[in-house]
Amino acid sequence: MNPNRTVGILGGGQLARMLAMAAADLGFNTHIYCPDRDCPAAQVANKVVFGNYADDKNLADFAKNIDVLTYEFENIETKALDELEKIVVIRPSIKSLKISQDRFTEKSYLNSIDIKTTQFYKIDEVSDIGKLLIKVKKPLLLKTRRLGYDGKGQVLIKTSNDIKKHFQGNKPSSLIAEEVINFDRELSVIIVRDQEGNIKTFEPGENVHENGILKTTTLPSLIDNKLKNNAKQIAKKIVDNLNYIGVMGVEFFLKEHELFVNEIAPRVHNSGHWTMDGSYSSQFQQHIRAIMDLPLISTERHSDIVMYNLIGKLTNDLVSSELAKVYIYGKKDSRPGRKMGHVNLIKKKGS
Ligand SMILES: Nc1ncnc2c1ncn2[C@@H]1O[C@H](COP(=O)(O)OP(=O)(O)O)[C@@H](O)[C@H]1O
Ligand SMILES: [Mg+2]
């Protein structure tokens, strides 16, 4: 190990914060690049460079002082990264980022490698929505192709009146329309792959969302082992096909024993926060290991566990529970829908 190396992270939110802490555990330095002076990662990083993501000069200066560049969110202009790649190693690859930052590209890619997604359609004009509604005769979930997260940028369209209400008079940004799937469960797989192609997969967790925002992740999921293995195999196919390096989160819908990939995230993922306390390794440590060429370690789960997101506020009974492992992200302001922290609650043996 050469502990004096430095990880650079684009983005300074909670994911960057937890990555920086995992990097420190392994003896690495972390530099953060983000526009917000109060960002959660600033509390725990060696250095924070403040700048916006379009400032090529500032980004290049940042890249000169790090060994490997990674990112905590998908919505980064890949044009800027193409320049940075001349200066520094970027992991996961720009290609993986490009595919996953646009819902149309993402789902088209998944289908191209024979992975099922929900039925989706490209929407370029408002008039496309009405035509599609007549054709499919089913409610449609409209999503912005880019920049959406936590359910933002999504509207449910059931009638032509809904189209008028949400889209009349404004030119929508590029959209996709998805058929609504009446899923039985939502699951996710956190997977990690290193440069040599070694892969470790965490056990699939079961997710509950409220208003498009993840509320809880529960392990174990009650689904049978065959389905768990299927989900892992699908995730493996994706990271292998992309020659991926780092952690990826793969979200699934399960309907009548059939798995559909909802989306992929080329980064550590909220539904993997349980790994901090329920597994022999955390997703954060595995990501740092993968991008810094350290061996991947066991992803085995040792405890039954529930991860609760603290959304919009911190005053939650869970925070004062004796068994709760509490993680507060240090955000200055709370607002509805904002992720302020999370709590991992391990289930005591025999309870
Ligand atoms: N086609 C769909 N059918 C039913 N529910 C959906 C569909 N797409 C999204 N959802 C619900 O909304 C949540 C957020 O949507 P998602 O596409 O994952 O966007 P985000 O990038 O905001 O997480 C999903 O986890 C799921 O609960
Ligand atoms: Mg999602």
Side-chain angles (χ1 to χ4, degrees):
M1 286 197 201
N2 173 2
N4 289 320
R5 288 187 296 153
T6 299
V7 179
I9 307 177
L10 295 180
Q14 64 266 23
L15 301 179
R17 175 191 174 97
M18 292 183 274
L19 282 169
M21 289 162 99
D25 283 342
L26 292 167
F28 297 120
N29 303 312
T30 301
H31 292 184
I32 299 289
Y33 187 97
C34 81
D36 170 14
R37 288 190 179 268
D38 286 332
C39 68
Q43 278 185 329
V44 300
N46 298 80
K47 186 175 170 188
V48 186
V49 173
F50 299 105
N52 71 48
Y53 300 112
D55 185 345
D56 294 347
K57 164 89 178 50
N58 209 4
L59 277 168
D61 288 344
F62 174 76
K64 281 177 196 145
N65 295 309
I66 58 177
D67 294 288
V68 174
L69 180 66
T70 192
Y71 41 87
E72 63 140 21
F73 69 118
E74 291 93 314
N75 300 316
I76 305 163
E77 278 300 331
T78 53
K79 204 158 62 63
L81 294 187
D82 287 335
E83 286 307 306
L84 295 187
E85 201 169 35
K86 296 173 191 161
I87 308 172
V88 70
V89 176
I90 303 180
R91 290 173 167 179
S93 68
I94 297 177
K95 180 186 171 196
S96 312
L97 180 68
K98 259 191 186 147
I99 289 173
S100 57
Q101 70 183 190
D102 178 318
R103 294 185 200 276
F104 182 75
T105 322
E106 176 181 60
K107 286 175 207 294
S108 305
Y109 162 74
L110 290 167
N111 290 172
S112 78
I113 58 167
D114 289 328
I115 291 175
K116 280 199 197 104
T117 60
T118 51
Q119 199 63 46
F120 66 99
Y121 309 87
K122 193 156 155 277
I123 301 290
D124 295 319
E125 313 270 341
V126 175
S127 60
D128 295 344
I129 309 173
K131 284 182 217 152
L132 186 62
L133 200 59
I134 292 166
K135 192 172 131 207
V136 301
K137 299 188 191 66
K138 285 180 195 162
L140 295 166
L141 194 56
L142 274 285
K143 301 183 181 180
T144 51
R145 282 176 60 169
R146 295 169 63 102
L147 304 175
Y149 68 98
D150 286 348
K152 289 187 178 62
Q154 303 192 11
V155 264
L156 182 66
I157 299 293
K158 290 182 175 160
T159 62
S160 54
N161 270 341
D162 293 338
I163 305 175
K164 278 197 202 114
K165 193 167 122 201
H166 292 286
F167 295 107
Q168 199 164 47
N170 61 356
K171 186 183 173 324
S173 49
S174 297
L175 301 171
I176 61 162
E178 269 180 49
E179 291 186 15
V180 175
I181 173 161
N182 228 339
F183 54 79
D184 303 320
R185 295 168 192 279
E186 283 192 88
L187 305 166
S188 58
V189 169
I190 308 297
I191 189 163
V192 59
R193 185 177 179 281
D194 71 12
Q195 192 191 14
E196 289 170 7
N198 298 308
I199 289 181
K200 296 269 183 190
T201 318
F202 290 98
E203 183 179 323
E206 198 159 318
N207 300 324
V208 174
H209 290 82
E210 205 171 77
N211 305 320
I213 307 176
L214 181 66
K215 201 174 164 207
T216 60
T217 302
T218 302
L219 279 287
S221 158
L222 295 177
I223 65 166
D224 61 44
N225 282 338
K226 191 164 162 256
L227 271 173
K228 284 183 192 170
N229 281 332
N230 285 352
K232 286 182 177 182
Q233 285 310 317
I234 292 169
K236 185 170 181 301
K237 186 173 185 181
I238 299 168
V239 291
D240 270 338
N241 186 274
L242 289 170
N243 223 353
Y244 189 84
I245 302 174
V247 163
M248 176 184 276
V250 183
E251 297 179 15
F252 293 89
F253 296 134
L254 175 66
K255 186 176 162 60
E256 289 155 13
H257 301 282
E258 210 176 348
L259 287 163
F260 300 84
V261 172
N262 171 33
E263 61 175 352
I264 58 177
R267 53 171 169 78
V268 285
H269 195 259
N270 192 171
S271 69
H273 292 358
W274 68 270
T275 60
M276 298 169 93
D277 297 296
S279 169
Y280 290 105
S281 65
S282 79
Q283 61 166 346
F284 303 100
Q285 166 133 175
Q286 298 280 17
H287 185 73
I288 298 296
R289 281 175 169 268
I291 65 170
M292 300 305 275
D293 292 330
L294 293 182
L296 304 180
I297 53 174
S298 170
T299 44
E300 197 186 323
R301 180 174 65 81
H302 56 61
S303 300
D304 293 1
I305 190 163
V306 183
M307 188 286 306
Y308 297 84
N309 266 339
L310 301 176
I311 300 167
K313 59 178 178 355
L314 294 175
T315 48
N316 188 308
D317 293 347
L318 286 165
V319 176
S320 53
S321 158
E322 261 185 55
L323 293 177
K325 291 284 303 272
V326 179
Y327 300 88
I328 303 298
Y329 303 148
K331 293 182 183 176
K332 293 283 176 285
D333 310 304
S334 58
R335 21 171 212 276
R338 193 168 198 211
K339 291 173 180 167
M340 303 305 292
H342 72 270
V343 171
N344 280 336
L345 207 55
I346 295 176
K347 200 168 162 217
K348 259 189 176 170
K349 289 260 179 321
S351 68

